[in-house]
Amino acid sequence: QVQLVESGGGLVQAGGSLRLSCAASERTSSCNAMGWFRQAPGKEREFVAAISWSSGLKKYADSVKDRFTISRDNAKDTVSLQLNSLKPEDTAVYYCACRKGSAPMASGYEYTYWGQGTQVTVSS
């Protein structure tokens, strides 16, 4: 059972930055790609970004493509999400997840393990 723990959320003004981290309890064959998703109050969960552990191949949602950057640290089993130029509409609980396949996928149904989430609030 892979456990994922997110950290780094908080309150920031519009235009500001945050860095989220996701630490995996272990690297197993069940966890070869990591994704970040978010869910705002009253809205459905949406894809943000994903990365392959092995190749480093990345995938982004169009809404964050030029503002957010996903990266991985294989030695620390940690995936990070750098959030720049934040907007009030970025306010949400951000979740990291991992999947067995190595391709970075946008559908949440492709992911097996999920973290508890970290709150990001952007004030206007």
Side-chain angles (χ1 to χ4, degrees):
Q1 183 83 6
V2 177
Q3 293 184 337
L4 304 174
V5 179
E6 303 96 336
S7 61
L11 172 64
V12 64
Q13 289 187 332
S17 298
L18 283 173
R19 187 175 182 85
L20 307 183
S21 293
C22 176
S25 59
E26 59 180 297
R27 284 287 311 282
T28 72
S29 59
S30 298
C31 198
N32 293 296
M34 302 291 291
W36 283 96
F37 295 79
R38 67 186 182 186
Q39 187 166 22
K43 295 187 177 182
E44 294 186 352
R45 182 182 62 198
E46 65 174 351
F47 169 73
V48 177
I51 189 168
S52 169
W53 277 115
S54 58
S55 69
L57 182 64
K58 303 175 185 180
K59 186 179 185 68
Y60 294 96
D62 289 341
S63 60
V64 307
K65 196 170 186 177
D66 297 323
R67 300 184 295 122
F68 294 3
T69 302
I70 190 170
S71 60
R72 86 246 194 251
D73 185 331
N74 286 7
K76 296 181 179 179
D77 292 341
T78 300
V79 172
S80 297
L81 186 68
Q82 179 68 38
L83 289 64
N84 296 329
S85 303
L86 281 161
K87 305 174 182 180
E89 51 264 43
D90 294 317
T91 294
V93 177
Y94 284 68
Y95 299 90
C96 70
C98 77
R99 63 182 301 266
K100 186 173 183 177
S102 60
M105 304 295 284
S107 171
Y109 293 106
E110 296 284 348
Y111 293 80
T112 303
Y113 299 103
W114 294 79
Q116 293 299 308
T118 185
Q119 176 71 47
V120 171
T121 303
V122 184
S123 63
S124 58

